[in-house]
Amino acid sequence: MIHKRKLHTENRGIGMTSQGTRDRLVQTLRREGIKDERVLKAITQVPRHKFVDEALSSRAYENTALPIGQSQTISQPWIVARMTEALLDGGKQQKILEVGTGSGYQAAILSHLVPTVFSIERIDELLKLARRRFHGLRLNNIYLRYADGHLGWPSQAPFDGIMVTAAAQAVPQELLEQLGVDGSLVIPIERNGQQRLITVRRTEDGFEENDLGAVVFVPLLSGLA
Ligand code: SAH
């Protein structure tokens, strides 16, 4: 009897985090306008349930943000896909910087798409967990830093793309300076009491901005925690 119940629980676990469940998430993202096949493929490759607490793993393939502790959230899969699409739109990308490692999920998606990912987090506890996850999944092309991401990662600049996964009051000048020509910065910005997802592309002559619409993110904070 006990044996039977155990088996049942295990099967249910496998069902909720299975490839089929992931494929259904990809169908949803496709329906909701995500077109870049590289991004959709990365979503099928990364086990999102490994980036949330076990108690939430059955909800990991819903198209929703989930809590990851420390008052932070793992972004909704649609927004991860949309931001990744926007970041990749353009030339060949070798080196990407992410600000706001959080659970590590976004960095894991990027690690399947570009040779090298740099990611900065200001909450040590989250950074440690993310580091453990990358190790467990053998994602060896992600470099992590415990710092305030407003300042970027000057010694590794320029980057082919920069993604900020928390909402800033304004575009940090340091990040613009660390963007290579043809690279894009994807960042949620507070404007008129609303958060807007902005892309800033660096050209030979300057910067071009685009507004991708309203979004909801946790705030980009200063200093370390
Ligand atoms: N990309 C993450 C999303 C995490 S939420 C994921 O895939 O799970 C945003 C993260 O940004 C939080 O972990 C928060 O601690 C971090 N953050 C906020 N301000 C920051 C700053 N100035 N520098 C670095 N990280 C920051």
Side-chain angles (χ1 to χ4, degrees), residues 51 68-70 72-75 80 98-107 119-123 126 145 147-151 163 165-167 217-224:
F51 291 83
I68 54 170
Q70 315 279 335
Q72 304 304 319
T73 52
I74 179 172
S75 307
V80 169
E98 178 197 26
V99 173
T101 315
S103 68
Y105 179 69
Q106 173 73 71
S119 186
I120 306 176
E121 172 58 56
R122 66 179 285 280
I123 300 179
L126 293 178
R145 186 176 194 199
D148 180 344
H150 278 102
L151 306 174
M163 180 188 288
T165 64
F217 277 86
V218 294
L220 188 70
L221 301 173
S222 292
L224 297 175

